Every structure is written in structure tokens, then in C-alpha cells.
Amino acid sequence: MSDAVSYSVRDGVAVITMNNPPVNGLGSVLRPGIMDGIRKAGSDPAVKAVVIIGSAKAFSGGADIREFNTPKMLVPPSLPEINDAQDQCPKPMVAAIGGFALGGGCELALGCHYRVALPKSQIGLPEVKLGLLPGSGGTQRLPRVVGAAQGIQMMTTGNPVPAEKAVQLGLVDEIVQGDLLQGALSFAKKLIEQKKGPKRIRDMSVKVDGDPKQFFDKARAEVARASRGFPAPLEIVACVEAAATRPFDEGRRFERERFAVLVEGSESKALRHMFFAERQVTKIPDVPEDTPTRDIKRAAVIGAGTMGGGIAMNFANAGIPVSMMDVTEEAVRKGFEKIRANYAATVSKGRLKQEEMDKRVSLIKTTTKLEDAKDADIVIEAVFERMDVKQDMFRKLDAIMKPGAILATNTSTLDVNAIADVTKRPQDVIGTHFFSPANVMRLLEVVRGAKTAKDVLATTMKLGKAIKKVPVVSGVCDGFIGNRMVEKYGQQSLFLLDEGCSPQQVDAAATKWGMAMGPLAMGDMAGLDIGWEIRKRRYVERPNFVYSRVGDRIAELGRFGQKTGKGWYKYNLPDRKPIPDPEVEAIIQKYRTENKIKTRSISDEEIVERLIYALVNEAAYILEEGIALRASDIDMVYLTGYGFPAYRGGPMFYADTVGLPKVLAAIEKFQKGYRGEVWKPAPLLVKLAREGKKFNG
Ligand code: NAD
């Protein structure tokens, strides 16, 4: 037996202990040991009951992700074989659940005949989050315990249930107060005394509310609606139906079959890619993981506008006191009121307790004096997007901030090096590019300047995680990773209008494909004035950057999007539903006529290809220039900051799925079309396509 599993017998109870930190992943070091333990206990006449236990923190988190895609995954026995051995064991078997039992860990617990848990334990089958279904009997055993409705609910959301709820559902037999092993042993001894034998879940039947056909038809319709065409949730319903209507072994076979289909499907591959992408994102090749970091105990935010308020909330949410400064009392008051209103809305939705809101609000101090920032360990500047304003601010911050403080800028387009260089400590300067609304969006681009110190970068990445963001490193360039790409995407969306599409046609094609929002509706949300300002700057700075001027025509009329009730659409505010506007159609048509643009009918497929490949091609430049560290980081940016559908795995993964030669061929075709001069295939794309390689390894 491996060291990761120990076996002992106490007063007639065999104890199989799993010890594979950090989460007792059911890897090749655990499975054989568990199997040996079950066999030994089964054949030892002195053993009357069995307890399987992990640590107080983790019963088991399921499959060991470190062994994914390695031969170790296939080392026998498999989890289904262990489950069969559990079913065949003639002695009652108790799972003692500390911490969490998730995925395969939950299936191991369901293979046991009884379950006890600590009060704070969590139990669930989250496979759906990776586009999969529980593949070791979970879909067959869970509904036999909790009923079809609850089983579907748990497995299609993937959300675990806490111990107390698990008791109500019959999933846990008893909550243990105090020491888990002692509690499990006394539970096992009670079983022996009361002569209770194994209670196999496979022998139970599934409780279905009402007529099974009606029940499952309704469940299918509801799940289809909620899952927007994702295959896994519907497959889960089908498996639960099999559990309810077929013998156990047949249901198991059906589950295996459906699991195999999902594993090979593009959705699950994309979701698994994103799962690993998120784990990779904080790894920086030349900044070792043990790089010492600076302590961040206090923060300061400069500017109490749209971004400043949201950024301050992030610190308060993480329990870090923060001061928020703006030039006038009025600006500060408005910023603070907005924060209060945001928290109050969360409280009224029942997602935050009033005491918690009070605690968080009390961590935010407001001021009109810049000096109040001086003791902060990090200061984040979120003032107007103008180089002179930012440089002036950084000179002042350089003069007042304590030595070792991190000076961060939330600029979305300006050169972080030019900001750093006005200070005497450019090594302490970094970009922290939050996305709006900053208290909600998960993405944080961490912009590494030419002189940014490694420990400043490491500290900012760590802080990013502490405030529950997904921090992605970006080099300095105009727009960094996300906005530099989105500019090409927006550029194509306007050319599509020139050529004959309506805003609603472009947006509908994008959302049907899976984007959370179409490019024009997104512009309305962000404010069309922002893009307009950038374009005006570009006309001067980069006169050869080609735009359709149709966007300017809209902005010149004061149609700035949702904030003015009119943009590419009109709005019946406060309702933010975009309504197609004939006035916009007329503006676009006039622009086409004036510029003698020949229109044509454009398919949804071409719309999507032009939008998405515009992202992909720019991303290939970004990768080649070393602005992004890896393709999966770019995927992460799009998933967490731009509403890219997770089941497509990000723009780079999607391009890999389509095949780079096909992507390149499409771009070469677009080169010959309207405004074809903007399509210059990135050398990296050309190279990889020729070599038959992919962006993501
Ligand atoms: P905003 O206009 O809503 O807020 C800016 C605030 O800064 C105002 O309250 C203003 O009074 C204050 N301010 C200006 N000069 C100041 C000074 N010298 N000292 C103190 N306060 C000063 O702007 P915003 O949308 O919050 O953007 C702020 C920064 O964040 C910009 O650099 C912007 O590019 C960037 N950003 C914005 C978004 C977005 O979607 N709005 C997203 C990412 C990044």
C-alpha cells in the first residue's frame, strides 16, 4: 500500500485514511491504496465496519488535476472499479467527510453506504463546469439519494451543498461535532450494535415528482433554456432519466457512453482549456514563484469616478482599508454615494448581509487631500485619461508616497513607461487596468513597465488574486492586450455597417455565436464618446489607421450610448434594452451614399469570421511581440473581460479549433474585400499555419 493511504483497525472498524495533499485528488497514489483497504477490510473477519476518511480540510476534491493527460490517469484501479468494490463490500462503509467531497470525491462518498460530515463540509458534483458529467456513477447514485429534481439541480449547476442541507436531502446521515474520526468511529460502532449492514445506493430507486415523462420533459425544457445550448446539462438530465427508468447497471453504461461523447466534444475541451489557463496565468517565466512580495495593508485610490469607486470597493471587499481621493467635496460625495448604492443593491438582493455592507463601507475613507494617500502600500490612480494629467499626478505621488509603496495607474491606453519615467522610482510603477464595472469584472490586466521591479509585479499579481480578480500580465503597448484587440474588432463592426449590415444584424450574429453582447451594443454600454476620443487622438497620432467615419457621425450628434439614451440603438431608460432606431439606419445610409459604398448582403457566418479573426490576427501580433506571455493568457483576457463564450475557449483556442490554415485563408480572402488593406496576416499566424501548429501548444 502506498504511503498516501494508511489502513488500521480500531475496535472492529477498519479505517482507510487518504493523505494526498492538498486536496486528496484521487490520483494514482491514492486509488490502489483505497482498493487494497476495501479488500482487506472485506475479507478480515475481525472487521465489522469500514470508515474512509481524508483530512479535516478535504475528504477529496476528485480527480487529481496534476495527472490530467498523463499515463498516471490510467493506472488501475479506476474510480468505477473502486465503486464496484464498495458495492460488493459485505461490511457497512462510512465516508467521513471533512472539508469537501467534490466530483470523484463525492462519487467515492456515494459509493459508501453511509456518510457523516463536519458542519462546514461541502458536497457536490461540479463536472458540468468543465462541460462534463459525473462519470463514475454520480448521475446514477446521487438522484437515488436526493431525488430526481434535486439531483438535476445539483449536477446541472455544479454548485455544492453545505452539510446541513445535505442532511435534509438525505445525502449525509449525521453531522459530526468535534473530531471527525471519533465521530465516524462512533457512528460505525452504532451501525455494528444495531446490526445495520451495507445500504447500497445502487439498490435504491429514484424518487420522481409526478409522471416521469412529464417531469423529464419539463426538466429538459428548463435546463435547455438555462444552458444556452450547452450539451452537458442536457446530457445530465438524460442520465438522471436513465437512473429513474432503467436498471442501475444499464444506467451506468449509459452514463459512461454520454461521458465519452462529452469528453471528446469541443465545449468540454474549451472549458478544460480555460480551467488550466486560469492556473497558468500567474506564472511569469522570469519571476520565480518564491519572489518575495511587499505587504499590502492599506490602499489609496485617486479619482472617485466610474473606475475609482469600483476599485475602492475591491479593496474593501477584501478587508483592506482604502482611502479614495478626488478634487472636490462634491466629486468625493458622489463617488461614495455610488459605492453605498452599489452595496445596498446587493443587500436588497439578499446577496450581502447589512452588517457586512457596513463593515466594508467603513473601510473606505474619502478625502480631497492627496497627502492622505501617503501611508498606503499601494496607490491606484484613476483620474482623467490624459498624459499630462497622469504625469502631473505621478510627480506628486512620487513626492508624497512612502518609500516602497507601489504606484499604479489604471490607464487604458496611455504609455505606462512615460508615466513611470516622470518619477524617481520607475521600478515601483505598474499598470493595473481594471474593467468596468471594476467591482464586478474579473479581469485585471497587470501592465509591466520596462523598469517595473520583479517584486512589484509579483506583489501586484498576488494582490490581484487577493481581491478576487484574474490578473493577466501585459507588456506596454497601446490598448494592452484586450483593448488593442477590441479596436480591430470594433473597426470590422463599422466596416460591416458600411457594407450593408444593420447594427442589429451584426450584434445578433455575434450573440448567436456566443458573445455576451454584440460590438455595437457593447459600444453603447461603454459610452461611444470614449471610442470617439480615442479615434480623434488616432487621426493625429496614427493617420494611417483606417476607420469608418460612420462611428463619428453617430457620436457627433451627442449619441453616446446608454448614458444619453441614444447611440447605435435607442433606449427607454432606465430600461437598457437596445431598440433599433430608424434614425441610425438613415445616418448609416447617408454615409454609404456620400462615400459611394456598394452594399451587399452579408451572411452571419462572414460577420462572425470578420469579427473574431480580427481579434485573432491582432492577438497573434501581441503574442509575437511578447506583450502577452502565452496564448492562453489572451484567451483568459477575453473570457473574463469581454464576454467571450467560455465554451469556445477564448479567441486563440477557437482559432486552434477551426484550424490555423483555415483562419489564414479567410483573412487572405478578406484582404481582397472592402477595406482589405487593414488585414495583414500576422507573421506568427502564417508560420504556425504553415507548420501545422497551434497557438496553444
Ligand atoms: P471618470 O471621469 O469617471 O473619473 C475620473 C475622476 O478623476 C473624476 O471624478 C475627476 O474629478 C477625478 N480627477 C481628475 N483629475 C484629478 C486629480 N488631479 N486629482 C484627483 N482626482 C482627479 O473616469 P473613469 O471612467 O473612472 O476613468 C478613470 C481612468 O480609468 C482613466 O484613465 C480611464 O482611461 C481608465 N479606465 C476607464 C474605464 C471605463 O470603462 N470607464 C475602464 C478601464 C480604465
Side-chain angles (χ1 to χ4, degrees):
M1 201 178 281
S2 77
D3 292 348
V5 180
S6 59
Y7 179 89
S8 60
V9 179
R10 308 182 190 192
D11 288 345
V13 181
V15 179
I16 301 171
T17 308
M18 302 179 284
N19 182 21
N20 182 24
V23 298
N24 272 324
L26 293 170
S28 56
V29 297
L30 276 192
R31 293 190 308 267
I34 297 170
M35 188 65 133
D36 286 353
I38 294 171
R39 293 215 173 106
K40 229 189 219 166
S43 58
D44 181 352
V47 169
K48 307 286 178 221
V50 188
V51 166
I52 302 186
I53 188 167
S55 69
K57 286 198 178 129
F59 177 73
S60 167
D64 193 335
I65 58 167
R66 292 167 300 191
E67 293 186 359
F68 272 21
N69 305 326
T70 73
K72 287 187 176 168
M73 266 192 86
L74 304 174
V75 169
S78 65
L79 183 56
E81 284 163 351
I82 293 176
N83 289 153
D84 288 344
Q86 288 175 291
D87 276 338
Q88 284 151 20
C89 181
K91 327 265 165 87
M93 195 177 291
V94 182
I97 303 172
F100 45 79
L102 298 174
C106 177
E107 288 173 309
L108 180 68
L110 288 167
C112 292
H113 312 129
Y114 301 90
R115 283 151 295 280
V116 298
L118 288 175
K120 286 200 167 3
S121 295
Q122 300 266 337
I123 302 167
L125 291 167
E127 286 81 351
V128 73
K129 296 189 176 176
L130 294 181
L132 297 171
L133 53 80
S136 188
T139 65
Q140 304 303 296
R141 288 192 178 88
L142 183 68
R144 282 179 157 80
V145 181
V146 303
Q150 192 63 36
I152 289 173
Q153 150 76 16
M154 279 178 71
M155 290 188 283
T156 56
T157 60
N159 297 333
V161 291
E164 213 171 289
K165 174 99 193 271
V167 171
Q168 288 162 15
L169 295 172
L171 185 54
V172 160
D173 298 280
E174 201 173 284
I175 291 190
V176 171
Q177 306 291 347
D179 184 74
L180 179 60
L181 179 60
Q182 287 312 319
L185 286 171
S186 21
F187 184 86
K189 278 184 210 143
K190 259 192 297 179
L191 293 176
I192 300 171
E193 278 161 28
Q194 294 167 5
K195 301 211 168 12
K196 284 197 176 155
K199 195 172 92 190
R200 294 179 191 90
I201 292 179
R202 60 170 287 143
D203 299 335
M204 297 158 66
S205 57
V206 178
K207 183 174 159 289
V208 179
D209 306 323
D211 172 65
K213 174 151 184 354
Q214 270 173 14
F215 173 85
F216 285 106
D217 282 349
K218 187 159 163 262
R220 240 185 304 278
E222 279 170 10
V223 168
R225 213 174 314 122
S227 59
R228 285 187 73 188
F230 265 97
L234 281 173
E235 294 285 12
I236 288 169
V237 178
C239 288
V240 175
E241 187 169 20
T245 54
R246 302 190 204 176
F248 182 82
D249 290 325
E250 231 179 83
R252 276 286 290 122
R253 273 198 296 280
F254 182 75
E255 177 194 79
R256 276 312 306 162
E257 202 183 287
R258 304 324 298 163
F259 180 86
V261 169
L262 290 177
V263 163
E264 287 307 317
S266 57
E267 283 87 357
S268 169
K269 282 186 181 155
L271 290 168
R272 280 177 282 153
H273 164 70
M274 297 314 308
F275 179 80
F276 287 107
E278 189 164 347
R279 272 152 192 76
Q280 280 276 311
V281 85
T282 45
K283 299 196 168 76
I284 309 165
D286 66 328
V287 182
E289 298 206 20
D290 57 359
T291 303
T293 52
R294 303 184 187 181
D295 269 353
I296 304 288
K297 294 213 178 77
R298 319 189 65 80
V301 175
I302 312 298
T306 312
M307 296 305 286
I311 296 170
M313 286 174 80
N314 286 317
F315 286 109
N317 295 347
I320 301 172
V322 56
S323 76
M324 184 173 74
M325 181 264 171
D326 208 306
V327 275
T328 62
E329 289 290 350
E330 169 71 3
V332 162
R333 193 186 52 74
K334 270 168 91 179
F336 192 65
E337 280 315 308
K338 179 93 192 286
I339 291 176
R340 286 195 72 91
N342 269 336
Y343 277 130
T346 318
V347 170
S348 72
K349 285 180 200 140
R351 293 209 303 256
L352 186 72
K353 293 214 175 83
Q354 183 64 45
E355 307 93 81
E356 186 56 32
M357 164 173 165
D358 296 344
K359 209 165 95 196
R360 294 183 190 188
V361 169
S362 74
L363 287 171
I364 305 174
K365 297 275 176 290
T366 57
T367 175
T368 52
K369 291 199 220 64
L370 192 62
E371 295 72 52
D372 288 344
K374 70 179 193 307
D375 293 328
D377 302 299
I378 185 168
V379 56
I380 299 186
E381 163 280 309
V383 302
F384 299 135
E385 183 76 346
R386 271 187 23 212
M387 186 55 99
D388 56 338
V389 178
K390 303 257 189 213
Q391 286 184 328
D392 180 50
M393 179 54 66
F394 271 74
R395 279 190 201 99
K396 288 184 181 145
L397 290 173
D398 190 21
I400 63 161
M401 296 305 292
K402 66 178 181 187
I406 295 178
L407 314 188
T409 171
N410 186 48
T411 180
S412 16
T413 50
L414 300 174
D415 181 348
V416 174
N417 293 329
I419 296 174
D421 282 342
V422 302
T423 72
K424 289 192 226 37
R425 39 175 141 174
Q427 74 281 1
D428 293 341
V429 177
I430 196 163
T432 47
H433 185 212
F434 287 83
F435 287 71
S436 185
N439 54 315
V440 177
M441 297 297 288
R442 290 175 71 215
L443 178 59
L444 173 66
E445 282 182 332
V446 175
V447 185
R448 181 181 193 174
K451 296 179 189 155
T452 304
K454 289 184 181 179
D455 68 330
V456 169
L457 182 58
T459 305
T460 310
M461 294 298 281
K462 191 171 152 196
L463 175 68
K465 290 202 95 169
I467 60 172
K468 303 228 163 63
K469 299 289 165 191
V470 175
V472 181
V473 179
S474 170
V476 175
C477 69
D478 195 343
F480 314 124
I481 298 172
N483 282 348
R484 178 169 154 187
M485 287 163 64
V486 92
E487 194 162 18
K488 299 287 179 160
Y489 173 84
Q491 184 187 41
Q492 281 305 314
S493 72
L494 300 193
F495 289 159
L496 286 161
L497 300 183
D498 287 2
E499 271 196 283
C501 294
S502 64
Q504 46 278 22
Q505 188 194 352
V506 174
D507 284 350
T511 49
K512 203 170 111 203
W513 183 80
M515 297 300 291
M517 250 185 177
L520 300 151
M522 187 171 84
D524 274 0
M525 190 186 71
L528 298 180
D529 49 331
I530 294 180
W532 188 33
E533 285 303 325
I534 295 175
R535 289 197 299 276
K536 282 194 279 192
R537 210 174 76 211
R538 293 266 191 278
Y539 298 148
V540 180
E541 289 171 0
R542 285 162 60 183
N544 47 6
F545 197 101
V546 186
Y547 288 99
S548 161
R549 298 279 176 125
V550 70
D552 300 352
R553 295 281 173 94
I554 300 285
E556 280 156 13
L557 296 170
R559 302 184 67 116
F560 293 163
Q562 290 184 8
K563 63 173 105 165
T564 57
K566 281 178 176 181
W568 289 110
Y569 298 91
K570 57 184 174 187
Y571 298 87
N572 282 329
L573 293 176
D575 188 4
R576 288 165 187 273
K577 188 174 167 285
I579 305 162
D581 187 349
E583 268 178 45
V584 170
E585 197 52 51
I587 297 165
I588 300 173
Q589 187 49 48
K590 187 158 174 270
Y591 179 80
R592 291 175 189 142
T593 316
E594 281 171 19
N595 289 280
K596 301 190 179 55
I597 304 170
K598 244 188 32 217
T599 59
R600 63 187 175 97
S601 120
I602 299 179
S603 68
D604 283 2
E605 194 191 349
E606 180 180 336
I607 294 174
V608 168
E609 283 190 346
R610 275 170 60 176
L611 294 174
I612 305 300
Y613 296 170
L615 291 176
V616 170
N617 197 43
E618 192 61 24
Y621 281 107
I622 286 174
L623 200 54
E624 195 166 14
E625 291 166 20
I627 296 292
L629 291 173
R630 52 183 81 82
S632 63
D633 280 9
I634 297 175
D635 288 335
M636 216 57 227
V637 164
Y638 264 71
L639 199 82
T640 53
Y642 293 84
F644 201 92
Y647 61 88
R648 301 223 187 248
M652 305 310 259
F653 184 85
Y654 177 69
D656 287 342
T657 316
V658 171
L660 300 189
K662 220 175 135 194
V663 173
L664 179 60
I667 291 178
E668 285 167 347
K669 192 179 79 197
F670 300 147
Q671 279 186 298
K672 298 187 193 103
Y674 177 70
R675 297 291 204 187
E677 70 274 21
V678 304
W679 288 102
K680 294 192 182 64
L684 179 66
L685 169 64
V686 176
K687 180 170 167 281
L688 294 176
R690 280 213 190 105
E691 293 170 356
K693 292 191 179 149
K694 295 177 169 192
F695 287 125
N696 283 291

